[in-house]
Amino acid sequence: MVKLVGPCFSMEASGTLADTITFAKWKGRAYARQRVIPTNPQSASQTGNRAMLSFLSKQWTNISTSDQATFDDDAESRSISPFNSYVSLNMARWKNYLPPSQTFTPAEASSALTVSTMTLTGGEAHVNIELTPSGGTSIWGFEIYRDTSAITNCNNSNCIAVVEADGANAVEYNDTGLDAGTYHYRAAAINVDGVRGTAIADDSEAAT
């Protein structure tokens, strides 16, 4: 990405020139980049990254104002928004298979929580997953893992979804768009301060 001043001899420019270079603005900054044709890859690691990114994006507004403020200094030093600091930090943690945190410096001090029960129900092109957490106010969500064979190790390449949990109520996730066959699942609870509990044992269900 190239930062610009007065692109194309004007105050600003947008759009694509000769199917080669694209001009745009990001957070008030003009830039130019090579034109690319978007793709929608579905590799295991990309699916895992999208699962966490989707969770983080949805959860920002649910985080307390005081916790959001812990990202302010980092955001200011990097000339980005606190939201982008929060996403950047947590995606860096996820790259190393560490759970996210609601604060800039993860405390990692809470008691690890577990998934009490996991109930799988198969159907046409889908498997429904119902998860019940062990009680705990520090819980933030569940990481859900899927494979076509028994899951020995949970990691960010076999994670298909991260869903919000409150520690009191069961959570359902519908894994859709599946080919007919048998699928294996595990799930782990994550806490607000960057702690992950032990994943529940592998179980399987068939999609028809």
Side-chain angles (χ1 to χ4, degrees):
M1 183 179 77
V2 179
K3 295 180 182 178
L4 302 173
V5 177
C8 293
F9 304 103
S10 61
M11 294 304 295
E12 66 178 66
S14 63
T16 299
L17 177 65
D19 290 332
T20 303
I21 186 169
T22 297
F23 296 92
K25 292 182 70 175
W26 180 76
K27 297 188 180 301
R29 305 170 186 166
Y31 72 90
R33 60 172 172 78
Q34 179 184 4
R35 178 180 181 269
V36 295
I37 299 174
T39 60
N40 189 33
Q42 296 291 336
S43 71
S45 61
Q46 288 161 331
T47 298
N49 286 339
R50 289 178 179 180
M52 180 55 72
L53 183 59
S54 175
F55 174 77
L56 293 171
S57 298
K58 293 174 182 176
Q59 289 301 307
W60 174 251
T61 56
N62 296 330
I63 296 174
S64 69
T65 301
S66 59
D67 284 346
Q68 287 183 356
T70 64
F71 296 92
D72 287 351
D73 288 345
D74 176 67
E76 184 176 359
S77 69
R78 298 164 61 190
S79 298
I80 59 176
S81 70
F83 168 77
N84 284 334
S85 170
Y86 150 83
V87 170
S88 175
L89 167 74
N90 283 311
M91 290 305 293
R93 286 177 60 82
W94 182 238
K95 183 178 180 180
N96 294 305
Y97 191 50
L98 295 171
S101 168
Q102 291 188 1
T103 58
F104 178 75
T105 302
E108 298 181 352
S110 61
S111 299
L113 302 176
T114 60
V115 181
S116 297
T117 60
M118 179 174 67
T119 304
L120 307 176
T121 306
E124 184 176 353
H126 80 274
V127 172
N128 190 72
I129 304 133
E130 182 176 306
L131 303 168
T132 303
S134 59
T137 57
S138 60
I139 193 169
W140 191 7
F142 292 121
E143 297 169 347
I144 300 174
Y145 309 90
R146 181 192 69 208
D147 208 331
T148 53
S149 58
I151 302 173
T152 303
N153 296 311
C154 297
N155 52 63
N156 48 15
S157 65
N158 56 22
C159 180
I160 59 164
V162 185
V163 295
E164 182 182 7
D166 61 12
N169 300 297
V171 173
E172 288 193 23
Y173 176 77
N174 196 23
D175 188 15
T176 60
L178 301 177
D179 294 331
T182 299
Y183 296 87
H184 291 254
Y185 295 89
R186 296 185 72 177
I190 54 174
N191 292 353
V192 298
D193 62 346
V195 170
R196 175 186 291 114
T198 302
I200 196 168
D202 180 275
D203 197 1
S204 63
E205 183 58 74
T208 57

